[in-house]
Amino acid sequence: FKTLPQVYAVLFFLMLYLLGIGSNVAMMSCIMTVVKDRFKKVKNWQVAFVIAICGTIFGTVYMTPGGQSVLKLVDYYGASFIAFILAIAELYTFCYIYGVERICKDVEFMLGFRPNIYWRVCWKYLTPGLMTIILVYTLCTLEPLKDGDRDYPLMWIIIGLCISSLGLLQLPIFMIYSVSKQTEKTLWKVIKIGFVYFYNFFYKFPF
């Protein structure tokens, strides 16, 4: 291999190619699952074809001379930041709306044993607390996005904020939609459960 340094370059980019293919398969599977659950008569190849065409069209932008700057903008405002906030919302949903007790019962039903106190403390206090602290620290130390040594133009920042808004506004919109679809009896039950978890969290040790 010492006489063939090109082999290492080929293997390296082959590794990146395989990692990219694996990531795309995972992301496409998520989108296809959502679409298929909503539109059961649509075939898998039709969904995959539409996703591939849209991905190719939007991905062409990143091949332009300014593609790296666009990629950095979209990654910052449309991926990392949104995923972080949505992950925290998911944690609070599972820990305080669905409830740690239900999670323990599900684990016990599937695996035959109940998670010990370590996992319950992590799920209910440690992980949500640390994630919230990291989010607050990130917001307090937030600095304007830069492209190397240059600041992004104001229009680009506005576009980035619009991308973030499209991702984050889905959370309250679908939450309000789900609540509005409930009957009065179910809605009152949800509110009652929320007060019970609030009481247990602040006034009672849940273990």
Side-chain angles (χ1 to χ4, degrees):
F1 286 104
K2 293 182 179 180
T3 58
L4 295 174
Q6 295 84 358
V7 172
Y8 292 102
V10 172
L11 293 176
F12 176 76
F13 285 103
L14 178 62
M15 177 193 68
L16 294 180
Y17 174 77
L18 294 176
L19 288 173
I21 292 295
S23 299
N24 277 304
V25 168
M27 290 185 289
M28 182 175 287
S29 298
C30 294
I31 298 173
M32 290 182 64
T33 301
V34 173
V35 175
K36 287 286 292 182
D37 287 345
R38 182 64 179 85
F39 305 99
K40 298 185 182 299
K41 294 184 179 180
V42 179
K43 297 180 180 179
N44 288 334
W45 72 265
Q46 294 174 331
V47 181
F49 179 77
V50 173
I51 295 174
I53 294 297
C54 294
T56 302
I57 293 173
F58 289 112
T60 305
V61 177
Y62 303 124
M63 299 175 63
T64 61
Q68 187 64 31
S69 300
V70 177
L71 175 62
K72 190 174 182 178
L73 181 77
V74 174
D75 179 68
Y76 182 80
Y77 286 102
S80 304
F81 196 67
I82 294 178
F84 191 54
I85 295 178
L86 293 181
I88 293 176
E90 185 177 351
L91 277 172
Y92 277 94
T93 300
F94 272 98
C95 295
Y96 300 109
I97 297 178
Y98 187 76
V100 173
E101 185 63 27
R102 290 183 179 178
I103 296 175
C104 292
K105 289 180 180 179
D106 292 339
V107 173
E108 186 176 9
F109 173 75
M110 291 183 291
L111 302 180
F113 63 90
R114 184 179 179 83
N116 57 39
I117 190 172
Y118 168 79
W119 293 108
R120 284 178 277 165
V121 169
C122 287
W123 291 336
K124 190 150 191 174
Y125 297 109
L126 189 60
T127 304
L130 289 176
M131 292 289 286
T132 303
I133 292 173
I134 293 173
L135 176 62
V136 173
Y137 175 78
T138 302
L139 294 176
C140 292
T141 59
L142 196 63
E143 297 181 355
L145 183 63
K146 292 181 176 291
D147 183 17
D149 297 331
R150 301 177 301 172
D151 293 331
Y152 274 83
L154 179 61
M155 181 58 66
W156 285 50
I157 301 298
I158 294 175
I159 293 173
L161 293 175
C162 290
I163 294 173
S164 296
S165 299
L166 288 175
L168 295 176
L169 286 176
Q170 295 181 54
L171 184 63
I173 289 174
F174 285 113
M175 181 181 66
I176 294 172
Y177 173 77
S178 297
V179 172
S180 65
K181 298 292 288 185
Q182 305 297 323
T183 62
E184 183 177 351
K185 182 178 180 180
T186 305
L187 182 59
W188 172 247
K189 184 178 180 181
V190 171
I191 295 174
K192 185 178 179 181
I193 292 173
F195 276 111
V196 170
Y197 276 109
F198 178 82
Y199 174 78
N200 289 336
F201 178 74
F202 285 100
Y203 296 102
K204 295 172 67 178
F205 190 69
F207 311 105

